[in-house]
Each structure stands twice: as C-alpha cells, then as structure tokens.
Amino acid sequence: MSSEPANANPTILNLSDLPTRKATTSKPKNTLASATPAYLYDPFAAVPDLDFSGDSEEDDETPEPIDSQEIFDLVATMCDPEHPITLGELAVVNLDHIWITDDDNGLTKTVRLEFTPTITHCHLATVIGLGLVVRLQQSLPPKYRIDVRCREGTHTTDAQLNKQLADKERVLSALENETLMGLVGKMIETCK
Amino acid sequence: MKLTQLASIAAHPDRVWQVAPHPTLPFLATASADKSSKIISLLNFNTLTTLDGGHKRTVRSVAWKPNTEDEPVLATGSFDYNAGIWRQFEDEATEKKDWQFLVILEGHESEMKRVAWSAGGSFLATCSRDKSVWVWEEMDDDNFETVAVLQDHTQDVKCVAWHPEDVLLASGSYDNNIMLYKEGSDDWVCVKVLEGHESTVWSLEFEPLKSPKYSEERGSRLVSCSDDFTVKIWTRTEQTGLGSGGGQLPSILRGSQPKEEWECTATLPKAHSRSVYSVSWSKVTGRIVSCGGDGKIVVYEEAEDNEWKIVAEVGLAHGAYEINCVAWSTRYDKDKRGENDEIIISSCDDGKVNFWVLDEE
C-alpha cells in the first residue's frame, strides 16, 4: 500500500456551509429549521419536505431528546485519518444521513449514521467507520444502539465493510488494537 | 408463562460475554472484557474467586470440563489468541481451595471466540477470527496436543459446540454457515455444511439427550442463532462412519469416510429485532431460550413435533444493555423447588449477571 493519501484532492466544504444549530436560548426542536438544508451543498440530495405547519406546541417537556443535529455535531468535528480536515468539511458525514428512531421497548433508541467515504476505494473506510462508532459510543448514554454504516454504493466493498461494522465482537476486539485505536484517537483529538 | 428475576449481581466492571454453569456443581463461570473470569456460587450468588492474570485481553469464552467433580477444570478463550486451562486444587497445608492457571494453549493467529469441551472431556475445540477451528486432545494430565486444524470456513469462526454423545463437532461462522466435523479414518474432516442463515451464526447448541423431547428415532438436533435475527433447528437425517455409534448400517459403509446428513426443520417464531447472540437448550424441559442485542430474553416450547411457540418473553431484561449470553442451569439456591428446578442465567454489556425463574402464570 502506498503512503500517498488515497484521495489526494478531496472536495472540501466551506465551514460556514455546514449545518449548525443557531446559538439561541430557546432550542428549535425541528432541526431542519436551523440547519442549512443538504441540497444547498449536495446537488444530489433530495430536497427535504419542509413542513412547519401544526406541531409547534406539541412537546414542551424536558429534557429534550438528542436529535440528529447533536449527533452530527459530535462527529462533524472529527478529523479525517489522512487529511487535516474534518469529516463534516469532507462531507463524509451529513446531517441528512443520520436517523434516530425509538425502539419498540420504550427505552432504547437506535442511531443510524451512514457515512460517505471521499472515494469509493478508500482503504481507510474501516477506520473511519470504527472512529465514528467509538466517538458515538463514548458520547451517548447506553440506551443508544449505534448503527454506523457506509452509505450504499459509496464504496467498492460497502457490504463487506458494513458487515464488519455491524459485528459487535469485531468492533470491540478492534478497540483493543493499539494501532487502530491510535488512528481513531487522532480522529477524535480535534473534537471540541 | 412468566420470567421473574431471582437475583442480579454486578459481576464485573466491564462487559460479560459468556456465562457457563458447571454441568454438575453449583458453580457459574463468567468471561469478561475486564480480562478475567469469575467463579460464582449458585447457592448464594456470591463471587468465590477471580481468575485473572492469565490473559492479556478480553476473556471471550469459558467452558467447564465434564467429569471433573473432584478438581473442577475450566477452559478460557481470549482475544489474546490463547486458551487457558485452570484447575481448582486444595492446598494441603491450609486445606483451602484455590485455582491454578495450568496450561496456555497457543496456536491461533487472531482472537479466540469460543472454547468447548467434548462430552467425555477428552477433546477441547477452539475457534478464532483466523477462520480456523482447532481440536486439542489431552494426551495425559495437562498435556494437550493439536489433533486437527480445520480450515473449512471462509471467515471468522464465532462458535463451536460438541454433540452430547458422538464425537461430532459443529462450528458457526461469520460466513453464515454451520459446519460439522468428524474424525475420519486418518484425519478430522468437515462432513457437512449447513446453509440457511443469512448472516453470522453467533451460537450453537445440540439438543441434550436428557431433554424430554429428545427422540432417538427422530435423531439429534442442533439449535443455532444468527445476526439474521432468527433461531433455527437442524435435524440429523442420516449418518454413517466412525463415531456414529449406530449399528444399523450396512457393513459395506463402515470404514469409509464418515457422512452426516442434516436439514433445517424449524425456524422459531421471530421475536428478536437485533442480533441473536446466544441460545440454550434445557435438558429438563426441552425448552429453548434466546437473547440478543435488543435486550430481550425469549423462551420457546415445542408444542408439536418441530412446531415451536413462544411461552415467555422479557424485554429490557438488562435495562438498556445488550444481552450477550443466556444459559439454563440447575437451580441450587435455598428456594429451589425440587431436584429438577431450573434457572436461566443471562449476562450483559455493563457487567451484570441476572438469574431468572420461569413460572406458570
């Protein structure tokens, strides 16, 4: 394997274009309202159905559940393993590709995050996936089941990669691997 | 029926991957990510001993050697690639019982995933992410030799299980297949591949001979659970060759390579919404219990031949945590109801071990 970066010339998004929650005291519960819609920076993203009607006074109860913007914020500032650029800027992680669903049991929730490697043969896709799992596992309470997957069709071996990322035993065993954890540690270092 | 929690103990500060009740003694062994195993009393659920210092990484699997009541022997399998053999001994001077780390079995080239003793205790099987299954034979006390390195799987081998009577070994893998192995005329060979699961096979167990539903006429059965969220039953339809023990075969077949024919005869009612990590088959009632990443423990009963129904289910059995292992065990605590009373033991990601009783509602 060469020491050249797999993708020497990645597309980089402007930081100010990344979705963020405005620093307001009253937190809007509809993240789409505060986030820059994905279609503004991703020409292939579907235009979301922006529906602001109706549900404005439904849920005032506290505490507010973790939403996809918060998940995005946790991972967007992580650094790419081979570029000094964040996963948010590289559009490896996208707000539109994060879903949080309530499980049937009334307690646990499933976070699904689909990431997009910068190029389809990126040999570091496994490390990126693992880094995302570690970051979310360390940041979220145990009631969150974390499903990190490579977005379908964005990597030559995405099915293979996803089976590995779904395998708890392999992920946990990788976390005992010092070399891998060194790489993952560097990715997380840049997080605020 | 209803599953009720009998006790819950914080056994380890980290994930407990497996729990193994001793076949005849009131001992439970645990395998934990904290690199240790514990021996827990099933009389009062107190921890008796911590077996540490033997492994450098997660202890993934534990198995009790059968027929060693006087000096219990435990095998441990670890992510440090090795298996360990531990034995309880009595210190002659103090008359105190202690555990000794006797042997380290080295050879696998990556993380060990499961260890299992054959019914008679003469063979130990180990499997690993290196895609191989090893069979070790204890030649004399504490002297183990590798008698087979089976490399039929194309991926990470997750589990191994021995037949309760025949010298027949099963393994389940990340390649979605189950393989059966026997000792041939000069070597161990894969005699059958069971295809049917659509994802990783996490655990396997043969039907105990003592199960009231066991039928010699029907043949042996095997239960498997998978990342495809299902639990399947496989039934032997034919066997020939060494180690079969069947006398009904025409003599012309004897001495040829052993053969096994098995087919999938049931898929248990779907109950899990995430990976099913473990299954256990009761020798007292013939019921099967399963658990998984969805935090559920589910008990199934065979109503008619190969027709299974769910008789009990507990969600969030370990709160928010995933459940890695379930096992039926003889009940030994002070409230046991007769010699045949049983409990279910489960273990999870935050280090807790829970004990359950199954009651008529």
Side-chain angles (χ1 to χ4, degrees), chain B residues 98-118:
Chain B
D98 209 346
W99 287 81
Q100 193 182 2
F101 187 50
L102 290 176
V103 190
I104 188 158
L105 304 180
E106 295 175 301
H108 278 292
E109 287 167 11
S110 65
E111 295 91 41
M112 200 178 277
K113 298 298 176 71
R114 210 66 64 87
V115 290
W117 293 95
S118 63

Side-chain angles (χ1 to χ4, degrees), chain B residues 261-275:
Chain B
E261 287 303 331
W262 290 66
E263 59 185 42
C264 183
T265 46
T267 299
L268 303 199
K270 189 172 185 287
H272 291 287
S273 56
R274 292 185 71 88
S275 313

Side-chain angles (χ1 to χ4, degrees), chain B residues 71-91:
Chain B
E71 287 185 323
V73 172
L74 185 75
T76 49
S78 164
F79 283 176
D80 71 6
Y81 307 4
N82 301 329
I85 309 287
W86 307 71
R87 181 191 290 143
Q88 192 186 48
F89 68 99
E90 195 177 275
D91 190 312

Side-chain angles (χ1 to χ4, degrees), chain B residues 182-317:
Chain B
K182 270 187 162 178
E183 205 174 356
S185 41
D186 44 30
D187 224 338
W188 286 72
V189 280
C190 175
V191 287
K192 182 69 187 169
V193 182
L194 304 181
E195 293 174 324
H197 277 300
E198 286 164 19
S199 191
T200 302
V201 179
W202 280 111
S203 203
L204 293 167
E205 197 172 299
F206 282 95
E207 180 174 24
L209 299 178
K210 284 184 187 157
S211 159
K213 304 279 183 178
Y214 176 78
S215 145
E216 202 171 304
E217 192 184 333
R218 175 179 50 214
S220 283
R221 292 189 292 180
L222 177 72
V223 62
S224 60
C225 64
S226 162
D227 221 72
D228 66 11
F229 308 169
T230 68
V231 178
K232 290 184 189 290
I233 309 276
W234 310 79
T235 306
R236 181 193 256 166
T237 54
E238 195 192 338
Q239 61 158 330
T240 63
L242 300 168
S244 65
Q248 76 278 30
L249 305 164
S251 59
I252 192 162
L253 288 177
R254 290 188 201 132
S256 61
Q257 281 295 21
K259 192 177 156 194
E260 288 275 337
E261 287 303 331
W262 290 66
E263 59 185 42
C264 183
T265 46
T267 299
L268 303 199
K270 189 172 185 287
H272 291 287
S273 56
R274 292 185 71 88
S275 313
V276 190
Y277 288 127
S278 172
V279 277
S280 178
W281 205 325
S282 164
K283 65 176 191 288
V284 177
T285 61
R287 292 185 188 117
I288 287 173
V289 61
S290 67
C291 71
D294 59 5
K296 274 190 201 168
I297 296 178
V298 182
V299 182
Y300 314 81
E301 188 172 270
E302 192 171 17
E304 303 286 327
D305 201 25
N306 277 321
E307 290 287 326
W308 294 76
K309 59 172 189 187
I310 293 170
V311 290
E313 189 177 317
V314 183
L316 303 172

